[in-house]
Amino acid sequence: MMRNIVAGNWKSNKSINDAREWIGVMERDMDSLPDDVKVMIAPPAPYLALLVNLSSSRLLYVSQQVSATQSGPFTGEFTAEMLVSCGVDYALIGHSERRASYGETEEIVCKKVRCSLDAGLGVILCCGENLETRDNGEQEKVIRGQLLSALEGVNALEMEDVIIAYEPIWAIGTGRTATAEQAALMHKFIREWIAMRFDSETALKTSILYGGSCKPSNAAAIFAGEDVDGGLIGGASLNPEDFKSIIRAASSEL
Ligand code: PGA
């Protein structure tokens, strides 16, 4: 069973030429990276089909966005089927930036999960509490609520295509990381919740990633947590050298 994953999220950054250059550097060094870590990248959507065709099968592709509907008169939307037809493997769903700024409600998150799983597109489901919730000690309650609603109607078999990313909002892009202990505790909580909601085998097989100011200098300490299976990396994924260090830190062969 391979749970270790490092996924990069470029967000709204890089030109197509910068993206090509990054892929070139990654591909050149791919063989020297630990082979017990799955490597994923989420470039801006317009580049996906092209980059998929430039890459080896070792590099998996993630869309930062996916529609909550099937195809039809929905200007600007792109469906899970379309992404699958372009060779995309996963979609990020429920990222806090989309929840906060683009009206991605729990109902929409749940619909996106359903559309993706039905189309054979894997899901990286993001959850995370804000600072006020953390200060009030209510983070587990919030995460439980987010997972419960996002995974409504999902069965244990479908969980094989779901990755969970725990991203405390106060740690995203702020330079302030959760401590290794805070991450370890929350990941343990999430795994126990999956065991309760589904079963213990499903919980064991599910990858739970940490996201939020993860970088080469702190990745190894965060990934050392028993239930921390890797990371969702924003800022530090833009530079291929930083990203490679984080991939090395996620290997169990350390
Ligand atoms: P960050 O972003 O690593 O830049 O904090 C993480 C994310 O939003 O996935």
Side-chain angles (χ1 to χ4, degrees):
M1 178 185 64
M2 182 158 107
R3 263 189 350 209
N4 299 350
I5 295 171
V6 172
N9 173 14
W10 288 346
K11 307 190 179 181
S12 201
N13 290 295
K14 286 194 190 290
S15 68
I16 184 74
N17 285 339
D18 293 343
R20 271 193 163 116
E21 199 180 310
W22 187 101
I23 300 297
V25 174
M26 279 307 290
E27 287 295 344
R28 193 192 60 209
D29 297 338
M30 204 58 114
D31 288 347
S32 68
L33 293 171
D35 54 17
D36 66 334
V37 182
K38 276 195 211 168
V39 183
M40 303 186 182
I41 191 67
Y47 312 157
L48 279 166
L50 176 75
L51 297 184
V52 165
N53 284 313
L54 289 179
S55 307
S56 66
S57 55
R58 170 95 200 263
L59 191 55
L60 299 179
Y61 276 87
V62 181
S63 176
Q64 298 174 24
Q65 234 297 61
V66 62
S67 174
T69 60
Q70 310 292 344
S71 57
F74 308 113
T75 303
E77 292 292 307
F78 49 91
T79 67
E81 283 87 356
M82 292 172 194
L83 291 168
V84 169
S85 75
C86 291
V88 175
D89 305 285
Y90 284 86
L92 275 186
I93 299 180
H95 191 283
S96 62
E97 286 158 12
R98 297 214 58 88
R99 291 184 196 252
S101 308
Y102 298 94
E104 204 159 294
T105 61
E106 300 207 329
E107 194 189 342
I108 292 173
V109 168
C110 182
K111 280 190 182 151
K112 289 185 172 187
V113 169
R114 177 45 49 210
C115 286
S116 299
L117 294 176
D118 285 350
L121 184 67
V123 168
I124 302 181
L125 175 63
C126 304
C127 57
E129 81 284 357
N130 62 26
L131 190 56
E132 195 188 344
T133 303
R134 169 64 62 171
D135 287 343
N136 292 336
E138 290 183 331
Q139 61 272 18
E140 291 186 351
K141 191 172 134 205
V142 165
I143 300 303
R144 187 194 300 122
Q146 288 176 347
L147 294 177
L148 192 63
S149 66
L151 296 173
E152 197 188 318
V154 171
N155 64 39
L157 195 65
E158 290 173 320
M159 280 300 285
E160 287 182 12
D161 296 319
V162 176
I163 294 164
I164 308 289
Y166 169 59
E167 302 202 296
I169 296 170
W170 43 273
I172 295 181
T174 58
R176 179 181 164 186
T177 333
T179 63
E181 195 194 353
Q182 284 172 325
L185 281 174
M186 183 56 87
H187 282 233
K188 182 166 185 281
F189 171 79
I190 293 172
R191 199 171 309 281
E192 284 170 2
W193 183 85
I194 298 171
M196 219 175 54
R197 164 70 174 77
F198 298 96
D199 53 74
S200 49
E201 199 194 329
T202 302
L204 260 180
K205 284 198 284 197
T206 304
S207 293
I208 308 173
L209 313 183
Y210 169 81
S213 298
C214 193
K215 43 186 183 267
S217 58
N218 59 25
I222 294 172
F223 298 164
E226 199 187 321
D227 293 302
V228 183
D229 303 314
L232 179 55
I233 318 299
S237 71
L238 295 171
N239 176 320
E241 297 311 322
D242 288 348
F243 194 57
K244 281 186 265 172
S245 314
I246 297 172
I247 293 166
R248 286 189 203 98
S251 172
S252 311
E253 292 158 12
L254 276 182

